[in-house]
Amino acid sequence: MQSVAESLERLGDLARSATVTQVSTAFADAGHELALVGGPVRDALLGRDVHDLDFTTDARPDRILSIVGPIADAVWDIGRDFGTIGARFGDDTVEITTYRTDSYDGETRKPDVEFGNRLEDDLLRRDFTVNALALRVPEVKLVDPSGGVEHLLSRTITTPSSPEISFGDDPLRMMRAARFTSQLGFTVDEDTRRAMTEMADRIEIVSAERVRDEISKLLVTDRPRDGIELLVETGLADRVIPEIPALRLEMDEHHHHKDVYQHSLTVLDQAIGYEKERHPGSEPDLVLRLAAILHDIGKPATRRLEPGGVVSFYHHDVVGAKLAKRRLTALRFDKATIDAVARLIELHLRFFGYTEGHWTDSAVRRYVRDAGPQLERLHMLTRADVTTRNRRKADRLGFAYDDLEARIRELQEKEELDAVRPDLDGEQVMRILGLRPSREVGDAMRYLLELRLDHGPLGEEEATRRLLAWWSERSAS
């Protein structure tokens, strides 16, 4: 955390920014309180970039609309029933929410929304003390009823009320605590951690969509390992994504293999490193990170203890792809994400055959064809999967993949490999063979695609000759 003087200066700069000044002046002129709250205040104190602006006020939703409507570039009220009005001012997106003192029935996450009248009461209902901070504007006064600044200084995650009450109100806060360990680099205090462990089963009342969103937010932090380890150690992962803690395979004194759980965390770390190296400044790649942490989830189901102390995991790639598809579907991930992650897991072992013998151009073409739009992610995942401490072996695998990527580039330049197509299209095939649309046309197109993959571009004349020979032989048989 920056110095106290720097933190106060950052808060002052935030309060004096154009959007905050415009909004706070409008509320003051209307006779209402307004305060920046939560993340923007926390991040300003930490010296982090502030993005979206969250405000809270004593004004009710209809009154908020009447104040911001005339001055905002756009306004939306999709969260009106919960007291939230959204607005856009230039490049800034803001949310303004009425003070709330919600109550919960303990059976579901849906609260009885109750509007409040005091800022301090609103802050005390929030998830963690480091988020229960507010900056009154325009007067620039910090409000901290639960010691959030002290916890920022000690880099500690704890709750404003007792963790049992807080997590009872919203069990998803337990997963959010894990996310903040990764996002902020903070440590969850012992009482909060103990409550997470004892109340882990409460997460089961939270919708799959909210759990999915929290897992996604955790994975796109700079160091998701810390949060994943906390989810596993507290038992939360057993209830939301049990395939990860299942990677902690029991070791046998006679059969030895690497720690699959720690290996998977290292693969995730290394995949993030390759992602940042290849695409500096880009948004985090959720698909790659999901594939990295899940790539070996087929191992527990396929582990076999062989004679001589050997351990095998035959077909764990195929099994893992099916398990990942099932879990991500249960978590309500979108189909494109599910298919991409499953494909990467299914293909993540393919490269290791390259080190066992020289691949033909045909084999390289098929590798590219099978990876499709996931090729670059497959490059990063495969490289990240090398976690051996044997420097000679690591170098050999690295050099082999350098060679494979070089060959792919060469074939791409010569053959437009990214868009491998048969040398003839369906209309040409029907004309040459005298066919109408039918299964036979599909068979012919598949034959031509195999030719293209095996031999590269043949040209229309040679492709026609081979097609006629194939059709003649097929017809005779």
Side-chain angles (χ1 to χ4, degrees):
M1 185 170 168
Q2 58 197 341
S3 70
V4 173
E6 290 173 325
S7 296
L8 292 175
E9 183 177 353
R10 290 261 305 181
L11 284 178
D13 290 342
L14 179 61
R16 289 187 292 271
S17 65
T19 297
V20 175
T21 298
Q22 185 178 10
V23 176
S24 63
T25 299
F27 274 79
D29 290 346
H32 286 285
E33 298 177 4
L34 188 72
L36 277 163
V37 67
V41 182
R42 178 199 70 216
D43 290 341
L45 288 169
L46 289 172
R48 295 163 57 94
D49 291 337
V50 174
H51 298 288
D52 295 340
L53 299 172
D54 296 327
F55 294 93
T56 188
T57 178
D58 61 339
R60 294 330 194 222
D62 288 345
R63 185 63 172 141
I64 297 173
L65 273 171
S66 70
I67 295 171
V68 301
I71 60 175
D73 296 320
V75 176
W76 51 94
D77 65 351
I78 192 170
R80 187 173 186 162
D81 291 344
F82 296 94
T84 300
I85 303 298
R88 181 170 54 80
F89 293 81
D91 295 330
D92 293 327
T93 299
V94 308
E95 285 191 350
I96 307 169
T97 302
T98 304
Y99 297 156
R100 284 169 51 176
T101 56
D102 299 342
S103 61
Y104 298 80
D105 62 14
E107 297 300 323
T108 70
R109 167 57 191 105
K110 296 179 180 179
D112 294 324
V113 177
E114 298 178 7
F115 296 139
N117 298 304
R118 295 180 68 249
L119 173 60
E120 290 77 8
D121 293 338
D122 178 273
L123 294 177
L124 289 173
R125 74 173 182 83
R126 293 178 180 264
D127 54 3
F128 305 110
T129 59
V130 296
N131 294 329
L133 297 165
L135 182 67
R136 288 189 183 275
V137 287
E139 61 264 42
V140 193
K141 179 182 178 183
L142 183 64
V143 181
D144 177 17
S146 57
V149 171
E150 178 183 343
H151 295 138
L152 282 178
L153 290 168
S154 63
R155 306 176 69 82
T156 302
I157 298 293
T158 189
T159 55
S161 57
S162 76
E164 289 80 9
I165 292 175
S166 182
F167 298 154
D169 286 347
D170 184 1
L172 191 69
R173 290 173 175 174
M174 296 185 286
M175 292 189 65
R176 203 173 293 145
R179 190 233 302 178
F180 281 128
T181 65
S182 292
Q183 183 176 323
L184 302 176
F186 285 13
T187 301
V188 175
D189 82 331
E190 284 304 314
D191 288 343
T192 305
R193 186 188 184 99
R194 182 169 55 254
M196 291 170 66
T197 303
E198 293 173 353
M199 301 178 67
D201 62 325
R202 295 285 296 156
I203 198 67
E204 294 172 5
I205 72 169
V206 179
S207 71
E209 291 82 1
R210 295 184 73 223
V211 169
R212 172 204 63 206
D213 290 347
E214 202 56 50
I215 290 172
S216 299
K217 290 175 183 177
L218 167 58
L219 283 174
V220 298
T221 61
D222 281 343
R223 188 171 168 80
R225 169 193 282 262
D226 295 340
I228 291 171
E229 289 180 326
L230 183 58
L231 290 178
V232 169
E233 291 163 7
T234 56
L236 282 160
D238 287 309
R239 290 163 173 82
V240 297
I241 189 161
E243 292 78 7
I244 294 178
L247 294 171
R248 298 178 297 176
L249 299 176
E250 291 184 10
M251 297 299 175
D252 183 282
E253 61 178 322
H254 302 296
H255 296 80
H256 302 284
H257 59 81
K258 73 176 97 177
D259 183 328
V260 182
Y261 172 60
Q262 289 299 323
H263 163 75
S264 298
L265 291 172
T266 301
V267 171
L268 175 60
D269 288 341
Q270 295 186 165
I272 293 171
Y274 284 120
E275 175 192 319
K276 291 181 177 180
E277 178 184 306
R278 293 192 178 212
H279 300 287
S282 296
E283 290 295 314
D285 189 339
L286 178 61
V287 167
L288 175 64
R289 297 178 185 205
L290 281 167
I293 193 60
L294 299 177
H295 78 286
D296 272 349
I297 60 172
K299 281 190 170 180
T302 58
R303 184 172 72 153
R304 298 292 180 270
L305 306 180
E306 310 287 358
V310 175
V311 181
S312 67
F313 300 97
Y314 294 125
H315 307 302
H316 78 267
D317 46 347
V318 177
V319 172
K322 292 178 180 178
L323 291 174
K325 183 168 286 193
R326 187 182 308 161
R327 176 55 53 195
L328 297 180
T329 299
L331 287 170
R332 306 290 195 271
F333 277 89
D334 62 278
K335 186 177 185 302
T337 296
I338 294 170
D339 289 346
V341 172
R343 192 62 167 159
L344 288 167
I345 294 173
E346 183 182 358
L347 294 175
H348 82 274
L349 290 182
R350 180 80 65 87
F351 158 73
F352 293 98
Y354 188 82
T355 64
E356 297 168 3
H358 186 74
W359 277 9
T360 62
D361 284 350
S362 173
V364 175
R365 292 188 193 100
R366 290 173 191 278
Y367 186 77
V368 174
R369 188 273 308 269
D370 291 345
Q374 306 309 320
L375 181 61
E376 185 177 22
R377 287 181 174 132
L378 185 58
H379 289 332
M380 291 187 280
L381 176 61
T382 302
R383 287 183 180 275
D385 198 20
V386 178
T387 62
T388 178
R389 295 180 181 178
N390 183 321
R391 178 48 51 192
R392 180 176 296 179
K393 181 179 180 181
D395 287 345
R396 177 172 61 83
L397 291 169
F399 293 148
Y401 210 90
D402 287 344
D403 182 65
L404 175 57
E405 287 201 72
R407 289 184 63 194
I408 289 172
R409 285 193 297 271
E410 290 172 6
L411 287 172
Q412 283 173 328
E413 291 172 3
K414 290 192 299 184
E415 304 180 9
E416 297 182 354
L417 203 57
D418 289 331
V420 172
R421 297 287 186 275
D423 290 277
L424 304 173
D425 62 29
E427 294 290 336
Q428 291 172 303
V429 166
M430 287 189 287
R431 186 178 69 250
I432 293 166
L433 300 182
L435 296 174
R436 301 184 68 173
S438 61
R439 187 180 67 182
E440 285 80 4
V441 176
D443 292 343
M445 293 299 293
R446 281 187 287 274
Y447 167 72
L448 289 170
L449 179 58
E450 292 299 314
L451 281 181
R452 174 72 169 79
L453 290 167
D454 285 339
H455 304 290
L458 295 172
E460 183 176 339
E461 183 178 344
E462 178 62 14
T464 300
R465 186 187 70 77
R466 296 201 186 196
L467 175 64
L468 288 169
W470 169 81
W471 183 250
S472 176
E473 182 177 340
R474 173 189 170 109
S475 300
S477 63

